[in-house]
């Protein structure tokens, strides 16, 4: 009690600061989260602000546009600002963008990342090119290159994809730590198409020590994707691990992801938590654990809806299909339709680009039933096991296998390469 009383002598709450500075409480909260109020400290769920704190300069004003206030370094050393604690409250993405108004590069980058999360790819493309052509700092260029790669996926553009990787490779690295994060960024781009063959060995071990602490939320997201892709490769016999076969490795992945999700929640990293939960839901579903898949999926949806982060959800439509549709419909039918529309664009681009980059055909004309059957066949299940799991007759399963082979031109043993 004494500590609280002492704190109140020298600090004020957000409402008091908002009234003094003539701004909204949400604006003050965003400024605190962005680290722009000197001496502000988090006390429980609230922020406490020094009574003598000065209101940060608004970069949109004449004063804020002075040369000495421009071209400042990013407020966090990470490939993705929006995975940091700069965005920590659902529904506050636009306020977080506004809070960066005194740092043009940071604001452009953060706004581009939010736009990507919403599926506004044209805006992302323009912002990424602005940062790249402005010869921004190391982390801004890495981030812009990765955003450009994401645009390439949505558009199915191979030239853009290669340009994005080149921009990342040419970022002005100053030391070994920079070069480590550059290597991780390039392979993270590859992982967007489930190619995890080139991840650094230290990263495959779950060793994040070469990275700055600000980059850890993003690193965990890509590590989750690496684990999922590796488990999928083992299950479909594209990669061999001694003593491991079928879905056994897939079933173990949540033991790593669950603690990461708890940490993302504790760190108030909304975007990281969404990605980790969506990946974990995918793993649980493929492992046959529908209950836990729904648990994570529902939480991810609840975090995404306040800021309409439908682009993130659309990325997972391909792997979560009917489950994602049913959970979204239960919350809001219009939201479900919006995500579904974005998923069609994403999946078309992803399939087109993946077919070229990976040198294998990715089926785009399979029905949902055919895809479900083909996926389980790729995992090595027999027709009888597939029929039991999907509650289908044996004849329906056999027909789906035949149709998939006809549409793709590949045998049952090759189904993993078309999904």
């Amino acid at each position: 009690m004494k500590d609280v009383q002492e704190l109140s002598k020298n600090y004020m709450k957000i409402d008091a600061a908002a009234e003094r500075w003539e701004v909204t409480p949400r604006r003050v909260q965003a400024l605190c989260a962005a680290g722009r109020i000197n001496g502000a400290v988090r006390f429980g769920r609230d922020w406490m602000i020094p009574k003598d704190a000065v209101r940060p300069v608004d970069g949109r004003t004449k004063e804020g546009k002075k040369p000495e206030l421009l071209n400042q370094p990013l407020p966090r050393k990470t490939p993705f600002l929006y995975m940091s604690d700069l965005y920590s409250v659902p529904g506050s993405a636009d306020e977080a963008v506004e809070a960066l108004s005194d740092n043009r590069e940071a604001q452009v980058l953060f706004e581009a990342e939010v736009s990507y999360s919403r599926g506004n790819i044209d805006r992302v493309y323009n912002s990424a090119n602005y940062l790249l052509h402005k010869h921004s700092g190391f982390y801004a260029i890495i981030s812009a290159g990765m955003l450009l790669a994401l645009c390439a996926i949505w558009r199915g553009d191979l030239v853009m994809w290669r340009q994005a990787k080149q921009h990342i490779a040419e970022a002005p690295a100053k030391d070994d730590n920079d070069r480590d994060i550059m290597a991780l960024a390039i392979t993270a781009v590859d992982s967007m198409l489930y190619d995890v063959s080139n991840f650094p060995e230290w990263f495959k071990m779950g060793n994040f020590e070469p990275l700055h602490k600000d980059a850890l939320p993003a690193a965990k997201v890509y590590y989750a994707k690496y684990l999922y892709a590796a488990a999928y490769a083992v299950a479909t016999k594209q990669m061999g691990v001694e003593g491991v076969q079928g879905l056994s490795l897939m079933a173990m992945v949540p033991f790593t992801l669950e603690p990461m999700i708890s940490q993302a929640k504790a760190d108030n990293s909304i975007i990281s938590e969404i990605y980790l939960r969506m990946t974990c839901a995918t793993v649980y579903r493929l492992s046959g654990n529908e209950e836990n898949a729904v648990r994570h999926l529902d939480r991810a949806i609840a975090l995404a809806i306040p800021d309409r982060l439908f682009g993130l959800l659309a990325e997972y439509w391909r792997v979560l299909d009917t489950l994602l549709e049913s959970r979204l419909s239960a919350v809001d039918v219009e939201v479900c339709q919006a995500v579904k529309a974005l998923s069609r664009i994403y999946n078309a681009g992803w399939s087109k680009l993946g077919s070229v980059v990976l040198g294998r055909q990715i089926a785009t004309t399979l029905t949902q039933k055919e895809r479900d059957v083909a996926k389980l066949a790729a995992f090595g299940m027999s027709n009888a096991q597939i029929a039991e799991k999907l509650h289908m007759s044996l004849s329906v399963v056999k027909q789906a296998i035949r149709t998939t082979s006809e549409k793709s031109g590949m045998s049952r043993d090759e189904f993993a390469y078309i999904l």
Side-chain angles (χ1 to χ4, degrees), residues 190-197 199 222-236 238-239 249-250 253 279 282-283 286 379:
D190 289 335
S191 75
M192 297 171 189
L193 296 176
Y194 299 123
D195 179 3
V196 297
S197 58
F199 271 115
Y222 287 106
Y223 189 64
K225 292 188 175 185
Y226 162 73
L227 291 178
Y228 164 70
Y232 184 89
V234 169
T236 55
Q238 299 176 66
M239 182 173 75
L249 182 59
M250 186 78 73
V253 170
T279 303
T282 300
V283 171
L286 291 175
F379 286 152

PDB file of all heavy atoms in Angstrom, residues 190-197 199 222-236 238-239 249-250 253 279 282-283 286 379:
ATOM      1  N   ASP A 190      11.208 -17.818 -47.528  1.00  0.00           N
ATOM      2  CA  ASP A 190      11.017 -19.149 -48.125  1.00  0.00           C
ATOM      3  C   ASP A 190       9.954 -19.946 -47.379  1.00  0.00           C
ATOM      4  O   ASP A 190       9.184 -20.701 -47.982  1.00  0.00           O
ATOM      5  CB  ASP A 190      12.334 -19.929 -48.121  1.00  0.00           C
ATOM      6  CG  ASP A 190      13.334 -19.372 -49.116  1.00  0.00           C
ATOM      7  OD1 ASP A 190      12.904 -18.737 -50.094  1.00  0.00           O
ATOM      8  OD2 ASP A 190      14.541 -19.574 -48.918  1.00  0.00           O
ATOM      9  N   SER A 191       9.913 -19.774 -46.055  1.00  0.00           N
ATOM     10  CA  SER A 191       8.963 -20.559 -45.253  1.00  0.00           C
ATOM     11  C   SER A 191       7.522 -20.196 -45.558  1.00  0.00           C
ATOM     12  O   SER A 191       6.606 -20.949 -45.249  1.00  0.00           O
ATOM     13  CB  SER A 191       9.245 -20.360 -43.757  1.00  0.00           C
ATOM     14  OG  SER A 191       8.792 -19.102 -43.289  1.00  0.00           O
ATOM     15  N   MET A 192       7.298 -19.022 -46.155  1.00  0.00           N
ATOM     16  CA  MET A 192       5.945 -18.646 -46.543  1.00  0.00           C
ATOM     17  C   MET A 192       5.376 -19.621 -47.568  1.00  0.00           C
ATOM     18  O   MET A 192       4.163 -19.740 -47.723  1.00  0.00           O
ATOM     19  CB  MET A 192       5.939 -17.222 -47.105  1.00  0.00           C
ATOM     20  CG  MET A 192       6.364 -16.160 -46.112  1.00  0.00           C
ATOM     21  SD  MET A 192       6.587 -14.536 -46.903  1.00  0.00           S
ATOM     22  CE  MET A 192       7.347 -13.589 -45.568  1.00  0.00           C
ATOM     23  N   LEU A 193       6.280 -20.313 -48.281  1.00  0.00           N
ATOM     24  CA  LEU A 193       5.861 -21.341 -49.238  1.00  0.00           C
ATOM     25  C   LEU A 193       6.192 -22.737 -48.716  1.00  0.00           C
ATOM     26  O   LEU A 193       6.299 -23.695 -49.476  1.00  0.00           O
ATOM     27  CB  LEU A 193       6.548 -21.112 -50.591  1.00  0.00           C
ATOM     28  CG  LEU A 193       6.191 -19.804 -51.307  1.00  0.00           C
ATOM     29  CD1 LEU A 193       7.018 -19.654 -52.577  1.00  0.00           C
ATOM     30  CD2 LEU A 193       4.709 -19.770 -51.641  1.00  0.00           C
ATOM     31  N   TYR A 194       6.372 -22.843 -47.406  1.00  0.00           N
ATOM     32  CA  TYR A 194       6.662 -24.116 -46.728  1.00  0.00           C
ATOM     33  C   TYR A 194       7.982 -24.735 -47.150  1.00  0.00           C
ATOM     34  O   TYR A 194       8.165 -25.941 -47.070  1.00  0.00           O
ATOM     35  CB  TYR A 194       5.513 -25.126 -46.927  1.00  0.00           C
ATOM     36  CG  TYR A 194       4.205 -24.646 -46.360  1.00  0.00           C
ATOM     37  CD1 TYR A 194       3.072 -24.543 -47.153  1.00  0.00           C
ATOM     38  CD2 TYR A 194       4.111 -24.266 -45.028  1.00  0.00           C
ATOM     39  CE1 TYR A 194       1.868 -24.074 -46.630  1.00  0.00           C
ATOM     40  CE2 TYR A 194       2.920 -23.795 -44.499  1.00  0.00           C
ATOM     41  CZ  TYR A 194       1.806 -23.712 -45.299  1.00  0.00           C
ATOM     42  OH  TYR A 194       0.619 -23.244 -44.779  1.00  0.00           O
ATOM     43  N   ASP A 195       8.924 -23.919 -47.593  1.00  0.00           N
ATOM     44  CA  ASP A 195      10.276 -24.393 -47.869  1.00  0.00           C
ATOM     45  C   ASP A 195      11.135 -24.005 -46.677  1.00  0.00           C
ATOM     46  O   ASP A 195      11.461 -22.836 -46.481  1.00  0.00           O
ATOM     47  CB  ASP A 195      10.818 -23.735 -49.144  1.00  0.00           C
ATOM     48  CG  ASP A 195      12.242 -24.180 -49.456  1.00  0.00           C
ATOM     49  OD1 ASP A 195      12.777 -25.022 -48.717  1.00  0.00           O
ATOM     50  OD2 ASP A 195      12.818 -23.674 -50.426  1.00  0.00           O
ATOM     51  N   VAL A 196      11.519 -24.994 -45.860  1.00  0.00           N
ATOM     52  CA  VAL A 196      12.272 -24.708 -44.629  1.00  0.00           C
ATOM     53  C   VAL A 196      13.684 -25.281 -44.698  1.00  0.00           C
ATOM     54  O   VAL A 196      14.359 -25.408 -43.691  1.00  0.00           O
ATOM     55  CB  VAL A 196      11.538 -25.282 -43.400  1.00  0.00           C
ATOM     56  CG1 VAL A 196      10.195 -24.610 -43.222  1.00  0.00           C
ATOM     57  CG2 VAL A 196      11.343 -26.794 -43.531  1.00  0.00           C
ATOM     58  N   SER A 197      14.125 -25.610 -45.898  1.00  0.00           N
ATOM     59  CA  SER A 197      15.410 -26.298 -46.041  1.00  0.00           C
ATOM     60  C   SER A 197      16.607 -25.419 -45.728  1.00  0.00           C
ATOM     61  O   SER A 197      17.687 -25.932 -45.413  1.00  0.00           O
ATOM     62  CB  SER A 197      15.533 -26.845 -47.470  1.00  0.00           C
ATOM     63  OG  SER A 197      15.411 -25.806 -48.421  1.00  0.00           O
ATOM     64  N   PHE A 199      16.880 -22.788 -43.389  1.00  0.00           N
ATOM     65  CA  PHE A 199      16.958 -22.097 -42.109  1.00  0.00           C
ATOM     66  C   PHE A 199      18.329 -22.339 -41.473  1.00  0.00           C
ATOM     67  O   PHE A 199      18.873 -23.439 -41.561  1.00  0.00           O
ATOM     68  CB  PHE A 199      15.877 -22.586 -41.141  1.00  0.00           C
ATOM     69  CG  PHE A 199      14.583 -21.834 -41.244  1.00  0.00           C
ATOM     70  CD1 PHE A 199      13.436 -22.454 -41.676  1.00  0.00           C
ATOM     71  CD2 PHE A 199      14.519 -20.497 -40.898  1.00  0.00           C
ATOM     72  CE1 PHE A 199      12.232 -21.775 -41.772  1.00  0.00           C
ATOM     73  CE2 PHE A 199      13.328 -19.798 -40.992  1.00  0.00           C
ATOM     74  CZ  PHE A 199      12.181 -20.434 -41.431  1.00  0.00           C
ATOM     75  N   TYR A 222       8.047 -17.458 -36.845  1.00  0.00           N
ATOM     76  CA  TYR A 222       8.664 -18.211 -37.935  1.00  0.00           C
ATOM     77  C   TYR A 222       9.192 -19.560 -37.469  1.00  0.00           C
ATOM     78  O   TYR A 222       9.248 -20.512 -38.257  1.00  0.00           O
ATOM     79  CB  TYR A 222       9.744 -17.375 -38.603  1.00  0.00           C
ATOM     80  CG  TYR A 222       9.148 -16.290 -39.440  1.00  0.00           C
ATOM     81  CD1 TYR A 222       9.166 -14.959 -39.019  1.00  0.00           C
ATOM     82  CD2 TYR A 222       8.490 -16.591 -40.634  1.00  0.00           C
ATOM     83  CE1 TYR A 222       8.562 -13.972 -39.772  1.00  0.00           C
ATOM     84  CE2 TYR A 222       7.883 -15.609 -41.392  1.00  0.00           C
ATOM     85  CZ  TYR A 222       7.922 -14.302 -40.957  1.00  0.00           C
ATOM     86  OH  TYR A 222       7.305 -13.325 -41.700  1.00  0.00           O
ATOM     87  N   TYR A 223       9.546 -19.662 -36.209  1.00  0.00           N
ATOM     88  CA  TYR A 223       9.952 -20.966 -35.683  1.00  0.00           C
ATOM     89  C   TYR A 223       8.751 -21.907 -35.638  1.00  0.00           C
ATOM     90  O   TYR A 223       8.866 -23.099 -35.942  1.00  0.00           O
ATOM     91  CB  TYR A 223      10.551 -20.809 -34.286  1.00  0.00           C
ATOM     92  CG  TYR A 223      11.187 -22.086 -33.767  1.00  0.00           C
ATOM     93  CD1 TYR A 223      12.290 -22.640 -34.415  1.00  0.00           C
ATOM     94  CD2 TYR A 223      10.688 -22.731 -32.638  1.00  0.00           C
ATOM     95  CE1 TYR A 223      12.885 -23.804 -33.950  1.00  0.00           C
ATOM     96  CE2 TYR A 223      11.281 -23.895 -32.162  1.00  0.00           C
ATOM     97  CZ  TYR A 223      12.380 -24.421 -32.823  1.00  0.00           C
ATOM     98  OH  TYR A 223      12.958 -25.586 -32.365  1.00  0.00           O
ATOM     99  N   ALA A 224       7.596 -21.370 -35.280  1.00  0.00           N
ATOM    100  CA  ALA A 224       6.366 -22.173 -35.284  1.00  0.00           C
ATOM    101  C   ALA A 224       6.072 -22.672 -36.695  1.00  0.00           C
ATOM    102  O   ALA A 224       5.704 -23.839 -36.896  1.00  0.00           O
ATOM    103  CB  ALA A 224       5.196 -21.359 -34.743  1.00  0.00           C
ATOM    104  N   LYS A 225       6.239 -21.784 -37.688  1.00  0.00           N
ATOM    105  CA  LYS A 225       6.010 -22.189 -39.078  1.00  0.00           C
ATOM    106  C   LYS A 225       7.034 -23.240 -39.515  1.00  0.00           C
ATOM    107  O   LYS A 225       6.703 -24.167 -40.265  1.00  0.00           O
ATOM    108  CB  LYS A 225       6.066 -20.968 -39.990  1.00  0.00           C
ATOM    109  CG  LYS A 225       4.904 -20.003 -39.776  1.00  0.00           C
ATOM    110  CD  LYS A 225       4.891 -18.902 -40.831  1.00  0.00           C
ATOM    111  CE  LYS A 225       3.660 -18.016 -40.672  1.00  0.00           C
ATOM    112  NZ  LYS A 225       3.534 -17.012 -41.737  1.00  0.00           N
ATOM    113  N   TYR A 226       8.264 -23.089 -39.032  1.00  0.00           N
ATOM    114  CA  TYR A 226       9.298 -24.072 -39.353  1.00  0.00           C
ATOM    115  C   TYR A 226       8.929 -25.445 -38.781  1.00  0.00           C
ATOM    116  O   TYR A 226       9.024 -26.465 -39.469  1.00  0.00           O
ATOM    117  CB  TYR A 226      10.649 -23.623 -38.795  1.00  0.00           C
ATOM    118  CG  TYR A 226      11.651 -24.745 -38.709  1.00  0.00           C
ATOM    119  CD1 TYR A 226      12.245 -25.261 -39.855  1.00  0.00           C
ATOM    120  CD2 TYR A 226      11.979 -25.318 -37.480  1.00  0.00           C
ATOM    121  CE1 TYR A 226      13.144 -26.323 -39.783  1.00  0.00           C
ATOM    122  CE2 TYR A 226      12.874 -26.367 -37.400  1.00  0.00           C
ATOM    123  CZ  TYR A 226      13.459 -26.857 -38.557  1.00  0.00           C
ATOM    124  OH  TYR A 226      14.339 -27.909 -38.480  1.00  0.00           O
ATOM    125  N   LEU A 227       8.498 -25.476 -37.535  1.00  0.00           N
ATOM    126  CA  LEU A 227       8.140 -26.751 -36.905  1.00  0.00           C
ATOM    127  C   LEU A 227       6.968 -27.408 -37.632  1.00  0.00           C
ATOM    128  O   LEU A 227       6.969 -28.625 -37.854  1.00  0.00           O
ATOM    129  CB  LEU A 227       7.773 -26.520 -35.430  1.00  0.00           C
ATOM    130  CG  LEU A 227       8.916 -26.114 -34.499  1.00  0.00           C
ATOM    131  CD1 LEU A 227       8.377 -25.871 -33.089  1.00  0.00           C
ATOM    132  CD2 LEU A 227      10.001 -27.185 -34.458  1.00  0.00           C
ATOM    133  N   TYR A 228       5.974 -26.596 -37.985  1.00  0.00           N
ATOM    134  CA  TYR A 228       4.819 -27.151 -38.701  1.00  0.00           C
ATOM    135  C   TYR A 228       5.235 -27.721 -40.052  1.00  0.00           C
ATOM    136  O   TYR A 228       4.867 -28.843 -40.411  1.00  0.00           O
ATOM    137  CB  TYR A 228       3.747 -26.076 -38.904  1.00  0.00           C
ATOM    138  CG  TYR A 228       2.720 -26.460 -39.951  1.00  0.00           C
ATOM    139  CD1 TYR A 228       1.805 -27.477 -39.713  1.00  0.00           C
ATOM    140  CD2 TYR A 228       2.700 -25.838 -41.194  1.00  0.00           C
ATOM    141  CE1 TYR A 228       0.882 -27.855 -40.680  1.00  0.00           C
ATOM    142  CE2 TYR A 228       1.788 -26.205 -42.167  1.00  0.00           C
ATOM    143  CZ  TYR A 228       0.877 -27.214 -41.907  1.00  0.00           C
ATOM    144  OH  TYR A 228      -0.015 -27.596 -42.857  1.00  0.00           O
ATOM    145  N   ALA A 229       6.011 -26.947 -40.821  1.00  0.00           N
ATOM    146  CA  ALA A 229       6.426 -27.397 -42.146  1.00  0.00           C
ATOM    147  C   ALA A 229       7.309 -28.640 -42.053  1.00  0.00           C
ATOM    148  O   ALA A 229       7.204 -29.562 -42.872  1.00  0.00           O
ATOM    149  CB  ALA A 229       7.159 -26.280 -42.876  1.00  0.00           C
ATOM    150  N   ALA A 230       8.183 -28.688 -41.042  1.00  0.00           N
ATOM    151  CA  ALA A 230       9.052 -29.850 -40.865  1.00  0.00           C
ATOM    152  C   ALA A 230       8.234 -31.087 -40.495  1.00  0.00           C
ATOM    153  O   ALA A 230       8.469 -32.186 -41.007  1.00  0.00           O
ATOM    154  CB  ALA A 230      10.091 -29.563 -39.786  1.00  0.00           C
ATOM    155  N   ALA A 231       7.268 -30.914 -39.606  1.00  0.00           N
ATOM    156  CA  ALA A 231       6.411 -32.036 -39.207  1.00  0.00           C
ATOM    157  C   ALA A 231       5.584 -32.529 -40.383  1.00  0.00           C
ATOM    158  O   ALA A 231       5.374 -33.736 -40.558  1.00  0.00           O
ATOM    159  CB  ALA A 231       5.492 -31.615 -38.055  1.00  0.00           C
ATOM    160  N   TYR A 232       5.121 -31.599 -41.211  1.00  0.00           N
ATOM    161  CA  TYR A 232       4.362 -31.971 -42.406  1.00  0.00           C
ATOM    162  C   TYR A 232       5.252 -32.760 -43.367  1.00  0.00           C
ATOM    163  O   TYR A 232       4.831 -33.762 -43.951  1.00  0.00           O
ATOM    164  CB  TYR A 232       3.819 -30.720 -43.091  1.00  0.00           C
ATOM    165  CG  TYR A 232       2.939 -31.001 -44.289  1.00  0.00           C
ATOM    166  CD1 TYR A 232       1.566 -31.179 -44.131  1.00  0.00           C
ATOM    167  CD2 TYR A 232       3.466 -31.096 -45.568  1.00  0.00           C
ATOM    168  CE1 TYR A 232       0.756 -31.446 -45.215  1.00  0.00           C
ATOM    169  CE2 TYR A 232       2.670 -31.361 -46.664  1.00  0.00           C
ATOM    170  CZ  TYR A 232       1.308 -31.530 -46.488  1.00  0.00           C
ATOM    171  OH  TYR A 232       0.512 -31.811 -47.566  1.00  0.00           O
ATOM    172  N   ALA A 233       6.498 -32.298 -43.520  1.00  0.00           N
ATOM    173  CA  ALA A 233       7.428 -32.974 -44.426  1.00  0.00           C
ATOM    174  C   ALA A 233       7.728 -34.394 -43.958  1.00  0.00           C
ATOM    175  O   ALA A 233       7.848 -35.320 -44.760  1.00  0.00           O
ATOM    176  CB  ALA A 233       8.724 -32.173 -44.537  1.00  0.00           C
ATOM    177  N   VAL A 234       7.832 -34.583 -42.652  1.00  0.00           N
ATOM    178  CA  VAL A 234       8.065 -35.924 -42.109  1.00  0.00           C
ATOM    179  C   VAL A 234       6.834 -36.806 -42.320  1.00  0.00           C
ATOM    180  O   VAL A 234       6.944 -37.967 -42.738  1.00  0.00           O
ATOM    181  CB  VAL A 234       8.407 -35.845 -40.603  1.00  0.00           C
ATOM    182  CG1 VAL A 234       8.390 -37.238 -39.972  1.00  0.00           C
ATOM    183  CG2 VAL A 234       9.783 -35.209 -40.408  1.00  0.00           C
ATOM    184  N   ALA A 235       5.654 -36.240 -42.036  1.00  0.00           N
ATOM    185  CA  ALA A 235       4.414 -37.015 -42.165  1.00  0.00           C
ATOM    186  C   ALA A 235       4.168 -37.465 -43.595  1.00  0.00           C
ATOM    187  O   ALA A 235       3.598 -38.537 -43.835  1.00  0.00           O
ATOM    188  CB  ALA A 235       3.230 -36.191 -41.661  1.00  0.00           C
ATOM    189  N   THR A 236       4.623 -36.661 -44.551  1.00  0.00           N
ATOM    190  CA  THR A 236       4.392 -36.986 -45.960  1.00  0.00           C
ATOM    191  C   THR A 236       5.625 -37.617 -46.622  1.00  0.00           C
ATOM    192  O   THR A 236       5.690 -37.729 -47.843  1.00  0.00           O
ATOM    193  CB  THR A 236       3.990 -35.722 -46.741  1.00  0.00           C
ATOM    194  OG1 THR A 236       4.986 -34.712 -46.559  1.00  0.00           O
ATOM    195  CG2 THR A 236       2.653 -35.192 -46.254  1.00  0.00           C
ATOM    196  N   GLN A 238       8.535 -36.527 -47.122  1.00  0.00           N
ATOM    197  CA  GLN A 238       9.414 -35.663 -47.901  1.00  0.00           C
ATOM    198  C   GLN A 238      10.736 -35.446 -47.181  1.00  0.00           C
ATOM    199  O   GLN A 238      11.725 -35.028 -47.780  1.00  0.00           O
ATOM    200  CB  GLN A 238       8.742 -34.307 -48.144  1.00  0.00           C
ATOM    201  CG  GLN A 238       7.446 -34.386 -48.933  1.00  0.00           C
ATOM    202  CD  GLN A 238       6.780 -33.029 -49.043  1.00  0.00           C
ATOM    203  OE1 GLN A 238       7.307 -32.113 -49.673  1.00  0.00           O
ATOM    204  NE2 GLN A 238       5.625 -32.868 -48.421  1.00  0.00           N
ATOM    205  N   MET A 239      10.733 -35.712 -45.875  1.00  0.00           N
ATOM    206  CA  MET A 239      11.934 -35.569 -45.065  1.00  0.00           C
ATOM    207  C   MET A 239      11.972 -36.716 -44.068  1.00  0.00           C
ATOM    208  O   MET A 239      10.935 -37.096 -43.501  1.00  0.00           O
ATOM    209  CB  MET A 239      11.923 -34.219 -44.328  1.00  0.00           C
ATOM    210  CG  MET A 239      13.173 -33.956 -43.496  1.00  0.00           C
ATOM    211  SD  MET A 239      13.189 -32.258 -42.829  1.00  0.00           S
ATOM    212  CE  MET A 239      11.982 -32.411 -41.500  1.00  0.00           C
ATOM    213  N   LEU A 249       5.440 -36.705 -35.103  1.00  0.00           N
ATOM    214  CA  LEU A 249       6.135 -35.436 -34.858  1.00  0.00           C
ATOM    215  C   LEU A 249       5.139 -34.283 -34.815  1.00  0.00           C
ATOM    216  O   LEU A 249       5.277 -33.361 -33.994  1.00  0.00           O
ATOM    217  CB  LEU A 249       7.175 -35.194 -35.955  1.00  0.00           C
ATOM    218  CG  LEU A 249       8.021 -33.919 -35.801  1.00  0.00           C
ATOM    219  CD1 LEU A 249       8.784 -33.946 -34.485  1.00  0.00           C
ATOM    220  CD2 LEU A 249       8.992 -33.775 -36.971  1.00  0.00           C
ATOM    221  N   MET A 250       4.130 -34.319 -35.679  1.00  0.00           N
ATOM    222  CA  MET A 250       3.106 -33.275 -35.695  1.00  0.00           C
ATOM    223  C   MET A 250       2.420 -33.183 -34.330  1.00  0.00           C
ATOM    224  O   MET A 250       2.147 -32.092 -33.829  1.00  0.00           O
ATOM    225  CB  MET A 250       2.081 -33.564 -36.780  1.00  0.00           C
ATOM    226  CG  MET A 250       1.036 -32.478 -36.985  1.00  0.00           C
ATOM    227  SD  MET A 250       1.633 -31.062 -37.933  1.00  0.00           S
ATOM    228  CE  MET A 250       1.700 -31.760 -39.594  1.00  0.00           C
ATOM    229  N   VAL A 253       4.456 -31.092 -31.759  1.00  0.00           N
ATOM    230  CA  VAL A 253       4.713 -29.669 -31.983  1.00  0.00           C
ATOM    231  C   VAL A 253       3.993 -28.769 -30.970  1.00  0.00           C
ATOM    232  O   VAL A 253       4.580 -27.783 -30.494  1.00  0.00           O
ATOM    233  CB  VAL A 253       4.342 -29.282 -33.433  1.00  0.00           C
ATOM    234  CG1 VAL A 253       4.368 -27.762 -33.617  1.00  0.00           C
ATOM    235  CG2 VAL A 253       5.305 -29.942 -34.410  1.00  0.00           C
ATOM    236  N   THR A 279      -1.311 -21.198 -36.145  1.00  0.00           N
ATOM    237  CA  THR A 279      -0.432 -22.320 -36.480  1.00  0.00           C
ATOM    238  C   THR A 279      -0.694 -23.502 -35.560  1.00  0.00           C
ATOM    239  O   THR A 279      -0.749 -24.650 -36.008  1.00  0.00           O
ATOM    240  CB  THR A 279       1.045 -21.891 -36.380  1.00  0.00           C
ATOM    241  OG1 THR A 279       1.282 -20.779 -37.239  1.00  0.00           O
ATOM    242  CG2 THR A 279       1.970 -23.031 -36.777  1.00  0.00           C
ATOM    243  N   THR A 282      -3.813 -25.268 -36.529  1.00  0.00           N
ATOM    244  CA  THR A 282      -3.573 -26.100 -37.705  1.00  0.00           C
ATOM    245  C   THR A 282      -2.947 -27.432 -37.313  1.00  0.00           C
ATOM    246  O   THR A 282      -3.373 -28.496 -37.777  1.00  0.00           O
ATOM    247  CB  THR A 282      -2.637 -25.370 -38.689  1.00  0.00           C
ATOM    248  OG1 THR A 282      -3.246 -24.148 -39.093  1.00  0.00           O
ATOM    249  CG2 THR A 282      -2.367 -26.221 -39.913  1.00  0.00           C
ATOM    250  N   VAL A 283      -1.951 -27.371 -36.451  1.00  0.00           N
ATOM    251  CA  VAL A 283      -1.251 -28.583 -36.009  1.00  0.00           C
ATOM    252  C   VAL A 283      -2.197 -29.500 -35.240  1.00  0.00           C
ATOM    253  O   VAL A 283      -2.236 -30.714 -35.457  1.00  0.00           O
ATOM    254  CB  VAL A 283      -0.036 -28.213 -35.144  1.00  0.00           C
ATOM    255  CG1 VAL A 283       0.565 -29.457 -34.507  1.00  0.00           C
ATOM    256  CG2 VAL A 283       1.012 -27.499 -35.986  1.00  0.00           C
ATOM    257  N   LEU A 286      -4.661 -31.225 -37.685  1.00  0.00           N
ATOM    258  CA  LEU A 286      -4.044 -32.300 -38.456  1.00  0.00           C
ATOM    259  C   LEU A 286      -3.734 -33.505 -37.574  1.00  0.00           C
ATOM    260  O   LEU A 286      -3.704 -34.641 -38.050  1.00  0.00           O
ATOM    261  CB  LEU A 286      -2.767 -31.806 -39.128  1.00  0.00           C
ATOM    262  CG  LEU A 286      -2.963 -30.779 -40.255  1.00  0.00           C
ATOM    263  CD1 LEU A 286      -1.624 -30.282 -40.752  1.00  0.00           C
ATOM    264  CD2 LEU A 286      -3.762 -31.384 -41.397  1.00  0.00           C
ATOM    265  N   PHE A 379      -0.562 -38.357 -45.694  1.00  0.00           N
ATOM    266  CA  PHE A 379      -0.033 -38.705 -44.384  1.00  0.00           C
ATOM    267  C   PHE A 379       0.120 -40.218 -44.208  1.00  0.00           C
ATOM    268  O   PHE A 379       0.502 -40.696 -43.139  1.00  0.00           O
ATOM    269  CB  PHE A 379      -0.944 -38.173 -43.269  1.00  0.00           C
ATOM    270  CG  PHE A 379      -0.852 -36.694 -43.071  1.00  0.00           C
ATOM    271  CD1 PHE A 379      -1.922 -35.975 -42.579  1.00  0.00           C
ATOM    272  CD2 PHE A 379       0.313 -36.005 -43.362  1.00  0.00           C
ATOM    273  CE1 PHE A 379      -1.840 -34.606 -42.393  1.00  0.00           C
ATOM    274  CE2 PHE A 379       0.409 -34.634 -43.171  1.00  0.00           C
ATOM    275  CZ  PHE A 379      -0.675 -33.931 -42.686  1.00  0.00           C
TER     276      PHE A 379
END
